[in-house]
Amino acid sequence: MRYISFDPDRCVGCQACQLVCSAVWQGVFNPFKARLRVEQKDWYGVFEVSVCRQHRDAPCAEACPTGALYADEKRGLVAFDRKKCDGCGLCVEACPEKAIFTHGDEPWIFKCHLCGGGKIQQCVEACPRQALAVEEDMV
Amino acid sequence: MKGYAGKITRVNLTSGQVLEEPLEEPFARKYLGGNGFAARGLIDTVPPGADPLGPDNAFIVCAGPLTGTLAHGSGRAGIVTRSPLTGFFMDSYFGGEFGARLKQSGRDMIVVTGRSPEPVVLFCDGDQVRILSAGKLWGKTTRRTQDLLREELGPGLSTVCCGPAGEAQVPLACCIGGRRAAGRGGTGAVMGSKNLKAICVRGFGDIRVADMKGLLRFYRETKGRFLGLENLVKLGTPFLVDMINKAGGLGTRNWQEETWEGAELIRAERILQDHFVRNWGCFACNLGGCTRVVRTTQRPGVLTEGPEYETLFALGSNCGVNDLNAIIEADRLCDDYGIDTISFGGSVGFAMECFEKGLLTEKDTGGLEFRFGNAETLVRCVRLVAEREGFGDFLARGVRAMAAEIGGEALKFACHIKGLEPPGHSARALKCMGVGYAVSPRGGSHHDSRPAPEYQMDLAQRRSTEGKAAMAYDTATWSAVGDCLIVCRFCEPVYGGVLTQTHADLVNLTVGWDMTLEELTEVGCRVHTLERFFNCREGLRRRHETLPYRFMHEEIPSGTSKGFRTSPGELDRMLDEYYELRGWDPDGVPTRETLDRFGLSDLDLEALKVG
């Protein structure tokens, strides 16, 4: 599986990744509707990212009672089928990366899908510091 | 109308009344946002002659149409008020993410008037506006205040607050949002005077734009324009220390000189080598972040964000202090107590010269030795100023008030413009900056007219006054629009250092208008004229638009710009040119025709007669 990797030493917290994610996939600017989060826990500390690790044995898919989340071997990612989602939120709890998000405006979840599994990942492209990259997991 | 949040919130702290009104499109198109909204708001809200520290003054927080989007450098917010330091119009901006969160909470601007009987926090939580008691926050540092608020009110909070200096109504007090300062002109004192400890915003709303596809294309195509600014990312603004020192314009020991032998010790490379912890960027900074978190070399050491170039000048060269540990510590203390480092350094530098010339003695200073280079005095003074303790109470008044009290010789080296201590850009080595300071609505600020173009010039060009008033005019119009959009000045490579069609394109893609460069330029002139009118109403005339005696009569004694000064005659000629370009009369007052031309016919020139 491929996933978005993060280099905390490069990130400066500009949130361009979140902005471009919400812009491309939701059509609005709203970092809280992005499929990843970058946050700083301490005043002068490093930034940390929360983004889907695309685990093949995805705990979120296991927790999902409707089959809306599933490992998509062909595209190499954990896919989300919005039509099947009933908004129960069990996946949010199950995710070890805390990388599944909700927003009061929408009944379903926000989770990284590697921009559909295509060649270009918008957040990676937008990052002015090359803090984000796509990596391949051989396991 | 896209781009904007669409609402203006008005709060009267005396009565506790909250009014929320929709943002009307004609108003938005005429005044654009940020600075423009707030300048109009200030003129309409604050009665002439209102005490800056009284309940009638307004404290305005504002965002622009691009704020909250991915537009390069749009993560800033503005604070606008009548300054207790100058008595005139003041707008000061700060980075971070407050502006974006203000917009996401559904507001473009918050106008606070009145005075609360008790310390309060104004909390704009989505649709709700609440006024909360700030009892236990009073007296706390800006950092502690924000920590406590986050603990109490929960995540997703963005805060701007004043520190102990603001509470004590020190005219050098600033506002702090996150770790960023809206430094200039005593905005923190205005907060304190209203018993307003903090404004918190929280919101998760969308920022909608007119043409998302077009904008995303714009961002992609312009991203590469930051190439060439690698120094700014690697070293931050401190790279200017070396550059400006070599140009012979680094104010040293209260501007007695403009080349400093100590510059080597505080230059950017040293900070990088001995103090650097990590880079940091504002919301939507597509440059990659120009700020650095640094640490003193003792362990565990003091952390701070910065010090930026202006702080290295003000606390460093201007006070003759070449000890980076002391500068870092004083910078952090200024942030914690909520003090503007530029005005603080200006005031300490001035006091040091008074002390060395025998105009102040240890009896006056409470035993503190105010000699140039005394790092210990510099660090100790921060708290004294914030708490107005002992000699700190005198320092806290700023250069103009101190000089007026000392009198005599001190007036000749009192470096301020309209009461505001200048930043580290020379009014002697840069003539555009000279006239720019003189006509700046803020006074000693490099954010109306800009110093940048002159640093590129050779000595002969720099010495000449030819075209400098026009340059001051162009850059001030540009910065007025930049402050309406509230975009970072370092985005010059993307948008241009003067107004360009790119600015207009970006507004159009975001809001959905068909603005031309001409219309945008008109907005800049209109807003600048509004600020002017506000100041004229408070008595500003040509006689106030002068430079410190030192800058006009004493030549720079050494260095690259040796022999430079901006003489009264030169300044007079540049003022004439500037007023003519602006359509103001020879006394600096906008004419009826000018007001009409910029759609400001409702402004009453009769009201200026008393001035």
Side-chain angles (χ1 to χ4, degrees):
Chain A
M1 302 284 217
R2 295 190 305 156
Y3 66 98
I4 304 283
S5 70
F6 177 73
D7 181 352
D9 290 332
R10 298 202 64 87
C11 177
V12 295
C14 71
Q15 302 177 43
C17 50
Q18 285 173 247
L19 283 165
V20 78
C21 182
S22 68
V24 169
W25 294 106
Q26 305 304 128
V28 296
F29 288 110
N30 189 342
F32 299 106
K33 286 187 181 173
R35 291 149 193 245
L36 79 168
R37 283 304 137 82
V38 171
E39 274 168 321
Q40 189 176 29
K41 300 269 154 53
D42 297 319
W43 269 87
Y44 299 98
V46 289
F47 287 88
E48 294 168 33
V49 77
S50 306
V51 64
C52 179
R53 184 65 177 69
Q54 317 290 348
H55 291 285
R56 186 170 277 125
D57 52 348
C60 60
E62 213 160 293
C64 180
T66 63
L69 285 158
Y70 57 97
D72 181 338
E73 293 286 347
K74 209 170 123 206
R75 290 194 291 165
L77 53 92
V78 176
F80 171 61
D81 182 352
R82 205 165 77 178
K83 286 190 287 287
K84 287 190 185 159
C85 175
D86 68 357
C88 71
L90 287 171
C91 58
V92 177
E93 309 257 316
C95 178
E97 314 287 339
K98 305 229 174 314
I100 299 181
F101 313 101
T102 57
H103 188 286
D105 288 356
E106 315 277 350
W108 45 77
I109 55 160
F110 297 89
K111 185 197 93 61
C112 173
H113 64 337
L114 293 172
C115 290
K119 277 206 181 105
I120 291 173
Q121 277 64 46
Q122 299 290 343
C123 56
V124 175
E125 287 277 296
C127 180
R129 302 270 304 177
Q130 295 84 45
L132 298 168
V134 181
E135 289 200 22
E136 185 104 38
D137 214 345
M138 294 309 171
V139 189
Chain B
M1 183 174 56
K2 303 286 187 217
Y4 297 95
K7 189 163 70 184
I8 294 171
T9 300
R10 293 177 192 277
V11 180
N12 183 326
L13 288 176
T14 305
S15 63
Q17 191 185 43
V18 177
L19 277 173
E20 302 213 272
E21 58 197 48
L23 175 70
E24 306 287 354
E25 183 155 357
F27 178 87
R29 187 151 179 165
K30 190 167 175 181
Y31 298 107
L32 197 56
N35 187 24
F37 285 4
R40 186 72 231 192
L42 206 68
I43 282 195
D44 293 342
T45 310
V46 179
D51 176 2
L53 297 176
D56 286 340
N57 194 9
F59 179 86
I60 301 179
V61 189
C62 52
L66 310 180
T67 313
T69 74
L70 190 56
H72 306 296
S74 63
R76 297 172 68 77
I79 291 178
V80 179
T81 190
R82 184 179 178 204
S83 163
L85 193 57
T86 68
F88 295 124
F89 183 88
M90 185 58 61
D91 49 333
S92 192
Y93 302 84
F94 62 108
E97 60 169 28
F98 183 91
R101 302 298 180 237
L102 173 67
K103 290 264 297 271
Q104 290 201 273
S105 87
R107 295 167 182 85
D108 297 291
M109 177 160 85
I110 301 172
V111 181
V112 182
T113 54
R115 171 187 282 149
S116 166
E118 281 166 35
V120 289
V121 170
L122 177 65
F123 184 23
C124 297
D125 190 9
D127 289 340
Q128 281 191 319
V129 179
R130 293 194 282 159
I131 299 171
L132 312 170
S133 168
K136 70 172 185 184
L137 299 176
W138 207 250
K140 297 283 190 290
T141 64
T142 57
R143 189 178 153 177
R144 189 79 189 117
T145 298
Q146 295 182 73
D147 281 341
L148 287 169
L149 282 165
R150 206 167 300 130
E151 276 169 32
E152 184 137 326
L153 301 174
L157 208 64
S158 213
T159 300
V160 62
C161 64
C162 67
E167 294 170 16
Q169 299 180 29
V170 170
L172 315 180
C174 66
C175 295
I176 299 279
R179 295 172 313 202
R180 309 288 298 187
R184 311 299 332 261
T187 54
V190 177
M191 266 195 125
S193 76
K194 300 197 168 308
N195 260 325
L196 177 63
K197 179 65 180 175
I199 297 179
C200 300
V201 292
R202 178 160 60 197
F204 307 99
D206 298 335
I207 309 293
R208 296 179 179 278
V209 295
D211 182 354
M212 182 62 89
K213 276 208 177 109
L215 275 176
L216 289 174
R217 196 179 322 119
F218 175 89
Y219 302 140
R220 267 195 287 274
E221 284 169 4
T222 53
K223 214 177 137 189
R225 292 192 200 170
F226 283 116
L227 294 174
L229 285 188
E230 289 85 356
N231 247 1
L232 189 57
V233 179
K234 190 175 155 218
L235 303 172
T237 56
F239 87 88
L240 291 167
V241 170
D242 194 48
M243 186 196 107
I244 293 175
N245 193 46
K246 284 188 174 135
L250 181 67
T252 299
R253 288 179 279 268
N254 197 36
W255 297 96
Q256 293 181 79
E257 296 129 275
E258 302 204 9
T259 305
W260 188 38
E261 72 287 351
E264 202 51 40
L265 293 170
I266 64 162
R267 58 183 293 174
E269 289 79 0
R270 271 193 87 100
I271 299 179
L272 195 64
Q273 185 188 308
D274 299 335
H275 301 278
F276 178 82
V277 178
R278 67 179 53 88
N279 278 98
W280 191 81
C282 295
F283 184 94
C285 175
N286 299 22
L287 167 63
C290 72
T291 296
R292 292 123 293 105
V293 172
V294 302
R295 186 202 298 271
T296 53
T297 49
Q298 315 96 340
R299 288 292 174 266
V302 177
L303 285 159
T304 194
E305 184 180 305
E308 300 295 341
Y309 165 69
E310 302 301 348
T311 302
L312 289 165
F313 143 76
L315 307 184
S317 61
N318 198 53
C319 296
V321 171
N322 59 20
D323 175 354
L324 268 176
N325 278 333
I327 294 171
I328 289 169
E329 191 178 345
D331 178 62
R332 170 66 187 274
L333 286 170
C334 280
D335 288 354
D336 280 357
Y337 284 104
I339 296 173
D340 172 22
T341 54
I342 302 178
S343 283
F344 175 76
S347 300
V348 173
F350 171 76
M352 284 174 165
E353 188 168 349
C354 288
F355 189 91
E356 292 204 342
K357 294 200 160 135
L359 299 168
L360 288 170
T361 63
E362 287 197 10
K363 223 176 101 195
D364 301 304
T365 65
L368 282 175
E369 211 193 44
F370 263 75
R371 293 199 183 279
F372 285 112
N374 191 332
E376 201 189 317
T377 294
L378 178 77
V379 175
R380 278 191 63 184
C381 278
V382 182
R383 189 186 62 78
L384 297 182
V385 165
E387 296 181 350
R388 288 180 176 268
E389 187 185 312
F391 185 63
D393 186 44
F394 186 64
L395 269 182
R397 297 178 210 176
V399 169
R400 179 166 68 183
M402 282 194 287
E405 189 155 327
I406 297 168
E409 200 60 18
L411 293 167
K412 291 191 175 170
F413 56 82
C415 296
H416 69 85
I417 296 98
K418 296 174 194 146
L420 190 68
E421 295 75 11
H425 302 281
S426 173
R428 294 187 283 199
L430 312 168
K431 305 285 182 188
C432 165
M433 202 64 261
V435 67
Y437 283 145
V439 298
S440 166
R442 290 175 260 223
S445 165
H446 60 303
H447 277 291
D448 286 305
S449 298
R450 297 284 292 151
E454 274 179 301
Y455 285 124
Q456 323 293 332
M457 292 179 169
D458 66 31
L459 272 185
Q461 283 176 307
R462 259 214 276 134
R463 189 188 283 272
S464 164
T465 55
E466 187 77 38
K468 297 298 171 67
M471 189 183 284
Y473 169 87
D474 285 337
T475 52
T477 304
W478 168 78
S479 67
V481 172
D483 291 341
C484 290
L485 303 173
I486 321 197
V487 285
C488 174
R489 298 279 191 260
F490 295 138
C491 292
E492 285 168 24
V494 177
Y495 309 131
V498 290
L499 282 177
T500 63
Q501 185 58 39
T502 309
H503 290 95
D505 291 344
L506 195 56
V507 171
N508 295 336
L509 288 168
T510 306
V511 185
W513 290 328
D514 53 357
M515 263 201 180
T516 58
L517 177 58
E518 286 67 38
E519 186 180 345
L520 199 65
T521 308
E522 203 169 285
V523 172
C525 293
R526 177 181 300 126
V527 172
H528 197 78
T529 302
L530 263 179
E531 295 179 6
R532 185 68 180 193
F533 184 87
F534 182 89
N535 283 351
C536 288
R537 209 168 66 171
E538 300 302 341
L540 180 92
R541 292 297 183 273
R542 186 187 186 114
R543 67 179 177 278
H544 299 100
E545 308 224 283
T546 186
L547 291 170
Y549 180 93
R550 171 162 283 164
F551 296 171
M552 294 195 294
H553 298 277
E554 293 175 21
E555 292 178 356
I556 298 177
S558 60
T560 309
S561 302
K562 184 172 186 227
F564 278 51
R565 67 183 170 119
T566 300
S567 73
E570 287 178 314
L571 181 62
D572 255 341
R573 278 196 302 280
M574 291 192 286
L575 280 181
D576 284 336
E577 282 176 51
Y578 189 88
Y579 291 172
E580 201 179 318
L581 286 165
R582 284 265 172 238
W584 300 343
D585 73 15
D587 207 17
V589 179
T591 62
R592 183 79 266 163
E593 295 71 47
T594 299
L595 293 179
D596 292 344
R597 187 175 140 220
F598 293 125
L600 301 171
S601 303
D602 65 304
L603 296 180
D604 181 13
L605 274 176
E606 291 299 306
L608 305 184
K609 288 263 163 77
V610 275

